[in-house]
Amino acid sequence: MKVNDHIHGFKIINRSESKETSSIAWTMEHEKSGARLFFLQNDDDNKVFSISFRTPPFDDTGVAHIVEHSTLCGSRKYPLKEPFVELVKGSLNTFLNAMTYPDKTMYPVASRNDKDFQNLMDVYLDAVFYPAMLENPQILMQEGWHYEIDSADAPLVYSGVVYNEMKGALSAPDDLLESRIMAALYPDTTYGYESGGDPEAIPQLTYEMFKNFHQRYYHPSNSYIYLYGDMDIEEKLAYLDEEYLSHFDRIVIDSHIEKQTPFAGLQRQALEYPASPDEDTAEKTFLSLNWVTGESLNPVDMMGLEILEHALLRTPAAPLRKALIDAQLGKDVDSSFEDDMLQPFFSIVISNSEADRVDKFYSIVQDTLQQLADKGIDRTLLEASINLLEFRLRESDFGSAPKGLIYGIRVMKTWLYDGAPESVLGYEEAIKAMKEGLDNGYFEELIRRYFLNNNHAALITMAPSKTMAAEREKKQVEELAACKEKLSPAEIQQLIADNKALKERQQSEDSEEALKTIPLLKLSDIRRKAYELPLEEKDLNGTKILFSDVETSGITYLSVLFDAQVVAQEDIPYAFLLSELIGNVDTETSTYGELANRKNLHTGGITYDMVTYTKMNEPDSSTPKFKVKAKVLREKMPQLLELLQEILMSSKFSDEKRMRELLEQEQATIELNLQRSAHQVVSARLAGYLTPAGRYADEGGLPFYPFIKGLLSDFPANLPTISAKLSELAKMLFTRNNLIVSVTDRAAHYDEFAAEFDKFQQKLGTETYPVQEYHWDLQAKNEGLTSSSRVQYVGKGANFLKLGHAFTGTMHVLETILRYDYFWTKIRVQGGAYGAFTSFNRNGMMYFGSYRDPNLTETLAVFDGTADYLRNFAASEREMDKYIIGTMSNIDTPLTPQMKGSAAATCWLRGITEADRQKSRDEILDTRQKDVQKLADMVKDCMEQNVICVFGGQEKINEHKEVFGEVRPAL
């Protein structure tokens, strides 16, 4: 292939080398339909496809989001209710989802199997171009919204998956704030609308508006097709042309994104968010200063702003963050730089503040930025931020997300706005410009241009209101009552009939013929042998080293685990506190700012955490560890270990100002994260009711909040105790004789690592401390945790090992079956929740949970009905194969070098052998219908324990308080 060639209807427009992604980049256009195509050609077997459309919304109805959900509910070739779910059940995908952004909708898939990859592409292309939603209004009812009513005397209520998803999303104050920031900064353009949908506006979406949105934007002339990896590109181009694109003619589509006219001066807004009636609202206001900062088509300035955000606000050494914390305006400072849009914006947010501090906030930001622009930003600080960004770009470690997927999302930063897609992938030139900028005043100029001399800014306060939620619900009830009042008896009967028809559709089975339209791999396409997790036990002068020989591109991944069983039970909360504070306080020889700069200059990051491991098949076992995790370029190992030695051995916890700041930040973080991590809170509480390890881990969860509040309540008097406890724990924990180390790197470099690490461990303490015994009062509290949330997170669990059942690989297949069949149908499709999930662990923990759920007791009833569902479970051989293949796609998620080493070490610590992993894999691959049915008794025994926990709205939980052992505010 070469530029100007015509291949299968595509004209090749550009070819370039994308050195940083080890790819050749090809830009093409389909001449008949106008579809754009970008291909990153390389030898990665984890192939990625996506088709995206520019979809700027023009109201708050969430139409872009609802269309994204709905396109995947059946199509011309695949006339099922939910082809997406069938793919999840039965594909070896390494990624399968769809995403709505403020100005685009993306449909990406990935797989390492060629046949599977082709199948995924075809289902997605048929879905976006020929969706069943255009003929079937029930799809909008299910995925978007509808009036729920089942009898003439019942009240009208709203329901729908996206409706409830957004009720949950905008219950989190920080998510609501971001939505309001965009509305303030872009009042005249598409970015001022909530693309996800505002629950108050979603019911304004009509079926005609819904269809029109699809017909307006979902055409090849408005599409962006992305391919990545090792594939026969000519075969793919021929397929795209023949099967889809050649059936469309090029048309003019107005999806142009208008730019917001810059403001003449700073805009101010005072807003409110709903708080619980029993919540203390003192110091719960958010202050936010926001700027529109240039255009995403300027990749150098975008990188410059990313570095500035980190240097000024995201590190303990950050001067703007420090100035704001010192001014005691609030308990924490957060920031974000959002550049996935044509006109990016930069935000600074103070949480736990008061509205009357907003002018002081504004003047401190302006004065500090002016000083930095005039006097210059500390060079070491900028170097450290540049180094950290460069490390991450070169490492390209995106966890379980395929790197090709992340590159595909990145290219839209320019491609969507008619820029060159490849321009955003090359970072070498931009990094060079950043390093030159250290000497030529570039960063100071950025401050002047984008902040000090930029009137396109909004200063926002968002204060808590104890009455807002009740007023909003009352208004909605009144509106729905008025709406029902206007309906004739015939119209009400029609709504009841529509609801009945929807439920019948939701409960109906797809025909065997329809199911067979979804292509399916064979079980023989899946390898029988478990993938190896390389691990070799070594001894380094008495220290156990767990070494994983993996190609790491010059990076060493290190985990240092100190046995935490030396900590007395009453001091466990202090151990969790130590993991939060260490590295963020001064040492004997360095300030915390200097430590932060050294960390960012010499490493790819260091984290500290309290973790607890259970032995396989031993539910009451618990091995707590204080875990220090770091990554570093091989040649920088001496600097990392020197830094760790200083932090672990000589941290000081006595500076009253700094300690108060950190505790207040911790309190604010817990409050802020509560809504978005509510499902994790619920699962942690359940585990804490049932097992010692669960209870230990939960000490760092919800109970950690009152512990922090207690320390702050009389802080000056408490500080000597806090300081003494933390210093004592550091001395007890960080000793040489309670150490296990996990290292991931190439074997050829082990000796040089060992030599450096031995020097480090020789400097650790050698005292021996007694191992403590823990006595937990384990009981099911069955809590209802109340909040201002408009949705619930319902959890029910048990420990099946304690009830006499054994772990089996078939349980992983059961997870797939429940999540994408029984729970999906009952809780998401029929119940309107955003999702439901389940997990079975080798330590015996079984957990059922729902996410952003309008229901409570109805969901618990679904959980209780699981055993009956399993007893009557029937699936053809083909369906069973599908569930197994879908399960294996999770089991065989490609692991990054860091993940391989971490997984190998975790298996060792939990006593899980290669033989155990192979046995579980064999059990998954050999699962048949009868094996699933056999699990009914285990699930029944677990459900009969009646161990529940629910996080949700105060009104809903109080309405069902008889369900709970205890009802209390979550915080």
Side-chain angles (χ1 to χ4, degrees):
M1 292 195 308
K2 57 184 189 298
V3 173
N4 292 324
D5 277 1
H6 297 259
I7 303 174
H8 302 297
F10 288 87
K11 181 181 180 185
I12 299 179
I13 294 167
N14 190 46
R15 176 198 185 278
S16 61
E17 271 196 61
S18 176
K19 193 171 67 202
E20 292 89 337
T21 65
S22 306
S23 308
I24 304 291
W26 301 88
T27 308
M28 312 181 197
E29 186 174 76
H30 190 258
E31 293 176 282
K32 183 171 187 288
S33 69
R36 306 159 189 81
L37 188 143
F38 183 64
F39 172 44
L40 279 179
Q41 178 185 4
N42 52 55
D43 59 4
D44 192 342
D45 72 341
N46 199 0
K47 294 171 282 294
V48 180
F49 158 83
S50 84
I51 182 162
S52 305
F53 301 91
R54 195 154 57 189
T55 53
F58 27 81
D59 58 32
D60 288 321
T61 61
V63 59
H65 187 188
I66 295 167
V67 167
E68 173 237 297
H69 276 240
S70 301
T71 53
L72 296 169
C73 292
S75 68
R76 172 194 65 172
K77 276 194 203 175
Y78 305 105
L80 298 91
K81 289 184 296 179
E82 310 221 39
F84 171 77
V85 177
E86 297 307 313
L87 284 177
V88 177
K89 284 183 201 170
S91 144
L92 284 175
N93 73 82
T94 53
F95 188 86
L96 182 74
N97 213 330
M99 297 94 85
T100 305
Y101 291 82
D103 56 13
K104 62 182 172 284
T105 310
M106 298 187 72
Y107 295 87
V109 296
S111 180
R112 299 169 78 181
N113 179 289
D114 288 328
K115 191 173 156 196
D116 191 44
F117 182 64
Q118 184 63 40
N119 295 345
L120 294 168
M121 278 178 65
D122 198 58
V123 175
Y124 265 48
L125 284 163
D126 207 63
V128 297
F129 290 130
Y130 302 104
M133 57 171 255
L134 297 176
E135 279 84 44
N136 189 339
Q138 289 179 329
I139 293 173
L140 170 62
M141 289 174 69
Q142 174 179 296
E143 296 300 317
W145 77 278
H146 65 276
Y147 292 117
E148 184 91 43
I149 185 168
D150 54 13
S151 67
D153 52 358
L156 284 182
V157 294
Y158 294 126
S159 191
V161 173
V162 170
Y163 176 75
N164 288 315
E165 177 188 351
M166 295 310 296
K167 277 175 79 173
L170 297 182
S171 287
D174 49 337
D175 284 344
L176 182 64
L177 177 61
E178 185 179 341
S179 181
R180 300 302 182 249
I181 286 168
M182 289 182 68
L185 288 174
Y186 310 97
D188 310 314
T189 79
T190 190
Y191 293 133
Y193 298 114
E194 175 50 71
S195 60
D198 187 318
E200 313 315 309
I202 287 172
Q204 293 161 22
L205 179 66
T206 67
Y207 186 49
E208 287 309 307
M209 291 160 64
F210 170 71
K211 288 194 296 183
N212 288 343
F213 190 89
H214 181 276
Q215 288 161 338
R216 176 174 183 166
Y217 291 134
Y218 280 63
H219 185 281
S221 296
N222 189 44
S223 71
Y224 300 79
I225 297 169
Y226 168 79
L227 289 163
Y228 166 94
D230 182 8
M231 68 186 72
D232 181 342
I233 187 61
E234 292 204 22
E235 176 194 271
K236 293 288 178 271
L237 297 179
Y239 154 76
L240 286 166
D241 174 57
E242 289 162 20
E243 291 292 322
Y244 292 98
L245 301 180
S246 64
H247 301 275
F248 295 87
D249 291 318
R250 184 190 292 261
I251 58 172
V252 175
I253 294 177
D254 181 14
S255 62
H256 178 69
I257 293 159
E258 294 293 333
K259 290 183 198 167
Q260 174 64 48
T261 306
F263 300 158
L266 177 74
Q267 302 291 301
R268 290 173 173 258
Q269 287 192 9
L271 307 170
E272 289 185 324
Y273 71 92
S276 292
D278 53 7
E279 197 175 323
D280 179 4
T281 55
E283 294 199 320
K284 288 290 178 66
T285 295
F286 294 86
L287 312 178
S288 177
L289 179 56
N290 316 275
W291 298 266
V292 172
T293 49
E295 289 188 22
S296 63
L297 291 166
N298 181 344
V300 172
D301 278 5
M302 294 305 102
M303 184 180 282
L305 287 164
E306 190 177 347
I307 287 164
L308 263 188
E309 190 214 350
H310 186 265
L312 301 187
L313 290 150
R314 287 236 159 233
T315 160
L320 182 50
R321 176 185 177 81
K322 190 171 186 308
L324 290 167
I325 293 285
D326 287 350
Q328 298 186 329
L329 296 168
K331 288 182 179 161
D332 203 4
V333 178
D334 199 6
S335 64
S336 65
F337 173 52
E338 180 53 69
D339 65 342
D340 271 319
M341 48 203 293
L342 176 60
Q343 290 180 284
F345 70 92
F346 192 110
S347 288
I348 304 171
V349 178
I350 304 268
S351 56
N352 296 80
S353 188
E354 294 288 3
D356 59 9
R357 301 173 192 169
V358 69
D359 290 328
K360 190 177 178 188
F361 165 52
Y362 179 70
S363 63
I364 287 170
V365 172
Q366 293 294 107
D367 292 349
T368 307
L369 289 173
Q370 190 68 58
Q371 283 173 22
L372 291 165
D374 292 346
K375 297 178 182 174
I377 306 165
D378 178 78
R379 184 189 175 98
T380 309
L381 176 66
L382 286 172
E383 280 179 340
S385 294
I386 293 168
N387 175 76
L388 191 63
L389 178 63
E390 185 176 6
F391 186 101
R392 288 182 181 153
L393 288 168
R394 292 193 191 289
E395 183 187 26
S396 289
D397 183 342
F398 308 110
S400 59
K403 65 169 74 171
L405 169 77
I406 305 302
Y407 297 151
I409 294 170
R410 262 188 208 159
V411 300
M412 300 305 287
K413 292 183 184 190
T414 50
W415 198 20
L416 194 76
Y417 315 116
D418 307 319
E422 70 276 8
S423 64
V424 78
L425 296 174
Y427 54 79
E428 297 285 4
E429 285 301 311
I431 288 283
K432 187 166 168 253
M434 297 304 108
K435 290 175 178 174
E436 288 168 356
L438 294 168
D439 298 313
N440 62 22
Y442 169 72
F443 291 100
E444 290 76 11
E445 173 54 27
L446 275 187
I447 288 176
R448 291 187 197 95
R449 186 159 20 119
Y450 288 119
F451 304 128
L452 294 172
N453 304 328
N454 180 5
N455 285 332
H456 197 160
L459 182 62
I460 295 172
T461 61
M462 197 170 84
S465 163
K466 291 187 177 187
T467 60
M468 186 177 177
E471 286 163 2
R472 182 178 59 195
E473 297 308 315
K474 181 170 179 279
K475 182 182 173 202
Q476 187 177 96
V477 167
E478 287 169 355
E479 283 174 357
L480 284 164
C483 175
K484 189 182 174 191
E485 191 68 36
K486 289 178 191 161
L487 296 173
S488 67
E491 286 170 324
I492 290 172
Q493 287 306 317
Q494 185 59 53
L495 277 180
I496 293 167
D498 290 346
N499 270 271
K500 186 165 179 278
L502 176 63
K503 285 185 169 60
E504 283 169 0
R505 177 181 187 269
Q506 291 168 336
Q507 289 164 6
S508 68
E509 299 284 331
D510 284 314
S511 71
E512 198 65 35
E513 186 185 11
L515 287 167
K516 281 183 177 163
T517 62
I518 295 282
L520 192 62
L521 299 175
K522 296 184 178 69
L523 282 188
S524 56
D525 291 329
I526 298 172
R527 75 182 249 164
R528 173 65 71 163
K529 188 172 186 320
Y531 285 94
E532 190 187 352
L533 293 174
L535 186 130
E536 187 183 348
E537 290 181 50
K538 293 177 177 281
D539 181 89
L540 180 62
N541 289 330
T543 297
K544 173 82 73 181
I545 308 284
L546 307 175
F547 184 73
S548 292
D549 178 9
V550 178
E551 174 50 58
T552 61
S553 305
I555 297 168
T556 304
Y557 297 99
L558 174 68
S559 289
V560 184
L561 296 112
F562 296 96
D563 184 8
Q565 195 89 26
V566 295
V567 178
Q569 185 165 339
E570 65 270 19
D571 291 339
I572 289 171
Y574 283 101
F576 278 97
L577 182 61
L578 179 65
S579 72
E580 296 294 334
L581 303 192
I582 199 157
N584 290 310
V585 295
D586 294 349
T587 63
E588 301 291 349
T589 50
S590 307
T591 66
Y592 65 85
E594 289 165 346
L595 294 173
N597 279 344
R598 278 165 60 197
K599 178 183 83 171
N600 294 331
L601 262 177
H602 298 304
T603 83
I606 306 171
T607 58
Y608 308 88
D609 200 8
M610 287 292 295
V611 292
T612 182
Y613 297 95
T614 50
K615 287 288 185 187
M616 188 176 81
N617 293 327
E618 296 178 25
D620 287 329
S621 64
S622 176
T623 309
K625 301 279 185 190
F626 189 105
K627 184 175 186 179
V628 183
K629 204 168 149 189
K631 50 189 174 185
V632 67
L633 290 170
R634 217 172 268 142
E635 60 272 20
K636 294 267 195 158
M637 183 58 72
Q639 288 94 325
L640 166 66
L641 293 173
E642 186 184 317
L643 183 60
L644 280 182
Q645 185 217 327
E646 182 180 336
I647 289 169
L648 298 179
M649 303 301 290
S650 69
S651 285
K652 300 192 299 183
F653 303 97
S654 51
D655 181 328
E656 182 175 344
K657 176 178 172 295
R658 181 60 179 161
M659 290 291 287
R660 184 193 288 272
E661 284 170 8
L662 290 169
L663 287 172
E664 287 182 344
Q665 285 167 29
E666 188 61 30
Q667 180 186 341
T669 299
I670 295 169
E671 291 169 357
L672 213 53
N673 288 341
L674 183 67
Q675 295 278 2
R676 64 163 51 116
S677 61
H679 58 300
Q680 292 164 331
V681 168
V682 167
S683 65
R685 294 302 287 165
L686 286 171
Y689 298 162
L690 294 164
T691 66
R695 183 60 186 277
Y696 191 109
D698 194 43
E699 288 291 300
L702 214 51
F704 195 53
Y705 181 76
F707 170 71
I708 295 289
K709 276 192 86 171
L711 297 182
L712 283 166
S713 63
D714 188 4
F715 182 71
N718 288 334
L719 181 61
T721 304
I722 299 168
S723 178
K725 282 278 186 205
L726 295 176
S727 299
E728 179 193 9
L729 287 180
K731 189 180 172 195
M732 291 167 66
L733 283 165
F734 307 136
T735 67
R736 204 184 143 175
N737 48 29
N738 68 347
L739 187 59
I740 289 178
V741 181
S742 162
V743 186
T744 306
D745 200 349
R746 294 265 55 160
H749 301 281
Y750 175 76
D751 288 346
E752 60 195 89
F753 161 77
E756 289 297 334
F757 194 84
D758 198 36
K759 288 185 226 166
F760 163 78
Q761 70 172 10
Q762 298 294 348
K763 293 169 185 165
L764 293 173
T766 55
E767 298 88 342
T768 304
Y769 296 92
V771 169
Q772 301 289 317
E773 282 189 24
Y774 301 138
H775 302 282
W776 301 109
D777 176 22
L778 299 178
Q779 54 174 300
K781 291 188 176 178
N782 289 8
E783 293 159 303
L785 304 169
T786 62
S787 73
S788 60
S789 176
R790 300 178 75 184
V791 286
Q792 281 61 248
Y793 302 80
V794 181
K796 188 161 188 179
N799 191 286
F800 59 82
L801 289 179
K802 289 190 172 193
L803 299 174
H805 300 278
F807 174 81
T808 163
T810 300
M811 290 176 178
H812 288 311
V813 183
L814 180 56
E815 289 171 354
T816 306
I817 291 169
L818 293 181
R819 186 167 187 176
Y820 294 110
D821 189 71
Y822 179 62
F823 286 177
W824 184 279
T825 303
K826 295 286 185 187
I827 296 173
R828 180 183 163 111
V829 172
Q830 293 172 19
Y834 183 49
F837 44 91
T838 178
S839 66
F840 295 88
N841 197 303
R842 287 179 187 271
N843 64 12
M845 278 306 301
M846 185 230 74
Y847 173 59
F848 292 165
S850 71
Y851 187 80
R852 293 181 181 168
D853 188 347
N855 300 311
L856 195 162
T857 50
E858 298 88 339
T859 298
L860 288 171
V862 172
F863 293 159
D864 288 340
T866 306
D868 285 340
Y869 164 80
L870 293 177
R871 268 194 205 94
N872 300 309
F873 176 75
S876 65
E877 292 293 304
R878 186 178 189 276
E879 286 296 295
M880 278 314 308
D881 287 355
K882 187 189 290 181
Y883 287 125
I884 291 164
I885 291 165
T887 302
M888 292 310 299
S889 81
N890 281 329
I891 299 292
D892 286 345
T893 299
L895 302 179
T896 63
Q898 182 175 14
M899 290 162 75
K900 277 183 191 166
S902 176
T906 298
C907 284
W908 187 92
L909 288 158
R910 294 191 59 197
I912 300 167
T913 65
E914 287 287 334
D916 295 323
R917 291 176 56 243
Q918 185 62 54
K919 179 174 180 284
S920 172
R921 188 181 187 90
D922 290 339
E923 287 165 347
I924 293 169
L925 292 169
D926 295 337
T927 295
R928 291 292 98 189
Q929 177 179 302
K930 66 179 188 327
D931 302 303
V932 176
Q933 291 170 339
K934 278 181 191 167
L935 293 172
D937 289 343
M938 178 271 296
V939 170
K940 178 174 179 286
D941 288 352
C942 287
M943 291 297 97
E944 285 177 349
Q945 301 306 300
N946 210 37
V947 180
I948 64 166
C949 180
V950 178
F951 176 101
Q954 188 174 23
E955 191 177 329
K956 178 71 91 169
I957 285 178
N958 282 328
E959 195 184 314
H960 298 288
K961 59 178 182 287
E962 73 285 351
V963 169
F964 302 102
E966 182 182 341
V967 171
R968 66 178 181 85
L971 292 182

